[in-house]
Amino acid sequence: MSYVEARGLSRIYTAGDTKIQALDSVDFTIEDGQLTIILGPSGSGKSTTLNILGGIDSATSGSLTVGGQDICQLKEKGLTDYRRTQVGFVFQFYNLIPNLTALENVELTAGLSNDPLAPALLLDSVGLADRFRNFPSQLSGGEQQRVSIARALAKNPRLLLCDEPTGALDSETGKKVLIVLASMAKLNHKAVVIVTHNAAIAPAADRVIHVRDGHILKIEDNPTPVDMESISW
Ligand SMILES: Nc1ncnc2c1ncn2[C@@H]1O[C@H](COP(=O)(O)OP(=O)(O)OP(=O)(O)O)[C@@H](O)[C@H]1O
Ligand SMILES: [Mg+2]
């Protein structure tokens, strides 16, 4: 059994009289120890998929199991536990806590875990060793994005969900961050999912799920992913 199994997953948003089918009965699986990329243009349903995987949003229909647990059947308390203990989330728009420093933002999530990674080392690994004491408003967009990545890693989660983690980063810094994320899959045997519209990083993934208009176009498995070091865009 795969770590994540989604079957017939749909999400319909209702705004007044209009219904938006953000996801239309998609099937996919995600494995432990692998880097999976969800690739598609703007509006294709990438964040919707990630939010459902992370227990932040719920599917309108379909089933989703993570580590054998049926996420769609969980009540509020079960979902809270799931989000707290299993999922690390890098949000597309960072969502840092403005009145906590970079280090405090990372420490906060480390405190939720029984097996956290060291916040200072993580900030160092994303190139922010000298910015521990800065508040988010004193950091550039790309720096805030890197704090949010360190924050997600701090929990040492089994499932790491990253929504456009390099969106605000230049190619060189983005690559550094992707190397850290890929190593979480390879060295720490986590399931790492990266959502992006940047096709250049797809060759480094074990699996690429191509999405468009709420549908999966194709799923590619890559038995010999290239080293993240050799990627550029
Ligand atoms: N809360 C919501 N209410 C109504 N429509 C929504 C909501 N969230 C997303 N949608 C719609 O669902 C579709 C998929 O959105 P989603 O955010 O998943 O796209 P995306 O692939 O992440 O795009 P981007 O690359 O721009 O972030 C879009 O048409 C979007 O407008
Ligand atoms: Mg999105």
Side-chain angles (χ1 to χ4, degrees):
M1 194 180 182
S2 297
Y3 180 53
V4 173
E5 299 203 355
R7 298 279 165 238
L9 214 55
S10 292
R11 179 64 166 107
I12 299 169
Y13 293 112
T14 314
D17 289 342
T18 10
K19 287 194 187 313
I20 297 156
Q21 180 104 40
L23 274 187
D24 191 359
S25 193
V26 298
D27 299 300
F28 61 87
T29 58
I30 289 168
E31 320 298 331
D32 266 332
Q34 286 203 351
L35 174 62
T36 300
I37 287 183
I38 301 178
L39 184 67
S42 181
S44 55
K46 304 183 300 296
S47 293
T48 303
T49 306
L50 214 62
N51 290 341
I52 294 172
L53 283 173
I56 290 168
D57 192 6
S58 4
T60 309
S61 58
S63 74
L64 173 67
T65 59
V66 180
Q69 191 178 27
D70 187 346
I71 301 306
C72 297
Q73 299 305 319
L74 291 177
K75 302 275 184 292
E76 209 41 60
K77 162 98 176 54
L79 270 180
T80 305
D81 281 348
Y82 169 69
R83 284 192 297 261
R84 177 177 301 192
T85 58
Q86 297 220 33
V87 180
F89 212 110
V90 178
F91 291 95
Q92 189 166 9
F93 304 108
Y94 327 139
N95 295 0
L96 297 176
I97 297 175
N99 59 348
L100 297 182
T101 64
L103 184 62
E104 288 164 349
N105 263 280
V106 181
E107 285 172 343
L108 193 67
T109 52
L112 295 173
S113 173
N114 294 327
D115 182 27
L117 299 175
L121 288 182
L122 289 170
L123 281 172
D124 192 13
S125 74
V126 295
L128 292 176
D130 53 349
R131 309 308 297 270
F132 286 7
R133 292 185 200 297
N134 286 107
F135 292 97
S137 63
Q138 300 167 327
L139 298 169
S140 72
E143 288 163 348
Q144 290 178 55
Q145 184 157 45
R146 284 182 277 155
V147 174
S148 84
I149 289 163
R151 178 180 61 178
L153 293 167
K155 261 200 235 173
N156 199 8
R158 192 156 169 210
L159 178 61
L160 184 61
L161 304 172
C162 313
D163 201 348
E164 299 279 5
T166 59
L169 305 180
D170 59 88
S171 169
E172 220 25 61
T173 316
K175 199 154 94 176
K176 239 193 240 165
V177 161
L178 289 171
I179 289 168
V180 175
L181 295 177
S183 78
M184 284 300 280
K186 294 292 152 227
L187 303 179
N188 297 1
H189 207 71
K190 309 295 183 184
V192 179
V193 184
I194 294 180
V195 154
T196 184
H197 57 261
N198 183 358
I201 62 175
D206 299 288
R207 178 170 294 163
V208 184
I209 302 174
H210 296 262
V211 292
R212 181 164 299 213
D213 296 333
H215 295 274
I216 291 180
L217 293 183
K218 62 176 170 180
I219 297 178
E220 288 175 312
D221 275 324
N222 183 5
T224 51
V226 305
D227 197 15
M228 201 59 94
E229 286 282 356
S230 63
I231 297 285
S232 60
W233 65 89

